[in-house]
């Protein structure tokens, strides 16, 4: 069996496993919807009021997308690895031709599809509920590689968390502890001018910052999105390699 066939087989198995978990399917798509409804429709933006949510509606599209790109891969991949470890699944996988990189690639692709659909739903809700105007241009399609690379990056990080945490509960706790600071300190919802001047350079340390900057350049500000995409691609490759090495061969 070729590498492509092995990845395909694992992809299909993981995809059907996701579909069988109806609660997971529901909340995967309900979560981004409720985020838009709460922040976009209830809180709303106040472009002239100052403080939080003081930017135009279009500014926060990148933040909405960042929510699903960040949280879903961390928890899904991390929990899957923790569950496999508890069930000694990796000992069984070690007896098959499936490589660790192929396993992570297959699960990353599943997450890319799932989160891609959730991101599409989120974009549609942003337009319908908040009245945000998404540019209709060929370059806007570059959101697709941003989402794919962002998901791959956080799948790699989720793999590391799944290896380090000692249980599925530990994965959820660790994922939230990492994701919440990243979400609000990566130029998503909080603008740099609201942060202390000494902390602003630290925003460049977050991989989510490059996702937010690139998507915002495509959907709101214009400007350089290619540079942010290139940086995100390098970081995604690095995290994917690290995540591959973190996957246990046996337990």
């Amino acid at each position: 069996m070729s590498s492509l066939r092995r990845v395909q087989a694992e992809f299909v198995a993981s995809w059907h496993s996701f579909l069988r978990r109806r609660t997971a399917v529901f909340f995967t798509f309900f979560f981004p919807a409720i985020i838009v409804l709460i922040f976009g429709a209830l809180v709303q933006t106040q472009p002239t009021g100052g403080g939080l949510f003081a930017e135009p509606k279009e500014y926060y599209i990148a933040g909405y997308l960042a929510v699903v790109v960040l949280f879903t891969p961390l928890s899904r991949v991390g929990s899957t690895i923790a569950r496999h470890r508890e069930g000694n699944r990796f000992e069984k996988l070690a007896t098959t031709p499936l490589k660790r990189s192929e396993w992570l690639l297959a699960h990353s692709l599943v997450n890319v599809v799932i989160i891609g659909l959730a991101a599409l739903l989120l974009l549609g809700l942003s337009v319908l509920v908040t009245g945000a105007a998404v540019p209709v241009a060929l370059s806007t399609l570059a959101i697709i590689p941003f989402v794919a690379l962002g998901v791959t990056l956080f799948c790699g990080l989720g793999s590391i968390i799944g290896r380090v945490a000692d249980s599925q509960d530990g994965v959820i706790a660790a994922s939230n502890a990492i994701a919440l600071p990243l979400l609000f300190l990566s130029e998503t919802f909080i603008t740099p001018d609201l942060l202390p001047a000494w902390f602003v350079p630290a925003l460049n340390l977050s991989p989510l910052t490059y996702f937010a900057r690139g998507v915002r350049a495509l959907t709101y500000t214009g400007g350089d999105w290619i540079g942010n995409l290139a940086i995100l691609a390098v970081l995604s490759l690095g995290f994917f390699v690290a995540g591959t090495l973190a996957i246990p061969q046996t337990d």
Side-chain angles (χ1 to χ4, degrees):
M1 180 182 289
S2 66
S3 177
L4 180 60
R5 292 294 298 274
R6 291 195 295 269
V7 171
Q8 181 183 16
E10 184 64 25
F11 174 92
V12 172
S14 178
W15 175 254
H16 286 295
S17 176
F18 169 72
L19 293 180
R20 285 194 297 268
R21 300 172 184 274
R22 296 181 180 179
T23 302
V25 173
F26 175 77
F27 281 102
T28 295
F29 295 99
F30 177 76
F31 185 51
I34 200 66
I35 289 293
V36 173
L37 291 174
I38 290 175
F39 292 104
L42 298 180
V43 177
Q44 298 187 356
T45 59
Q46 304 291 333
T48 61
L52 290 175
F53 296 97
E55 301 294 328
K57 298 181 288 293
E58 292 77 11
Y59 180 91
Y60 299 100
I61 291 176
Y64 297 146
L65 291 177
V67 172
V68 290
V69 167
L70 172 63
F71 278 89
T72 306
L74 282 183
S75 59
R76 289 198 75 249
V77 173
S79 295
T80 299
I81 288 182
R83 188 167 60 250
H84 278 33
R85 291 176 63 194
E86 292 172 0
N88 296 320
R89 289 285 302 278
F90 286 113
E91 289 186 357
K92 299 175 183 177
L93 286 175
T95 64
T96 70
L98 186 68
K99 299 177 181 178
R100 290 183 292 174
S101 58
E102 295 168 345
W103 186 94
L104 185 57
L105 176 59
H107 285 261
S108 297
L109 290 173
V110 170
N111 278 279
V112 167
V113 174
I114 293 170
I115 296 164
L117 293 173
L120 184 61
L121 170 65
L122 196 151
L123 279 173
L125 286 174
S126 298
V127 173
L128 294 174
V129 175
T130 71
V134 177
V136 180
L138 188 61
S139 61
T140 307
L141 293 176
I143 292 176
I144 296 173
F146 270 103
V147 170
L149 289 171
V151 170
T152 302
L153 189 155
F154 290 110
C155 282
L157 182 55
S159 177
I160 297 170
I161 293 173
R163 175 62 182 268
V164 173
D166 57 359
S167 66
Q168 293 186 59
D169 290 339
V171 167
I172 299 301
S175 297
N176 290 335
I178 292 172
L180 284 173
L182 283 181
L183 180 62
F184 292 104
L185 299 176
S186 302
E187 295 189 25
T188 49
F189 296 104
I190 300 176
T191 56
D193 58 285
L194 296 177
L195 298 170
W198 60 266
F199 185 81
V200 171
L203 296 175
N204 295 317
L205 299 178
S206 169
L208 193 63
T209 296
Y210 302 100
F211 173 86
R213 287 174 179 170
V215 172
R216 186 167 293 121
L218 291 168
T219 59
Y220 175 56
T221 61
D224 177 31
W225 56 268
I226 297 177
N228 288 296
L229 184 64
I231 294 173
L232 189 64
V234 172
L235 292 174
S236 297
L237 178 60
F239 274 91
F240 182 84
V241 171
T244 296
L245 296 175
I247 296 174
Q249 292 180 303
T250 57
D251 285 307

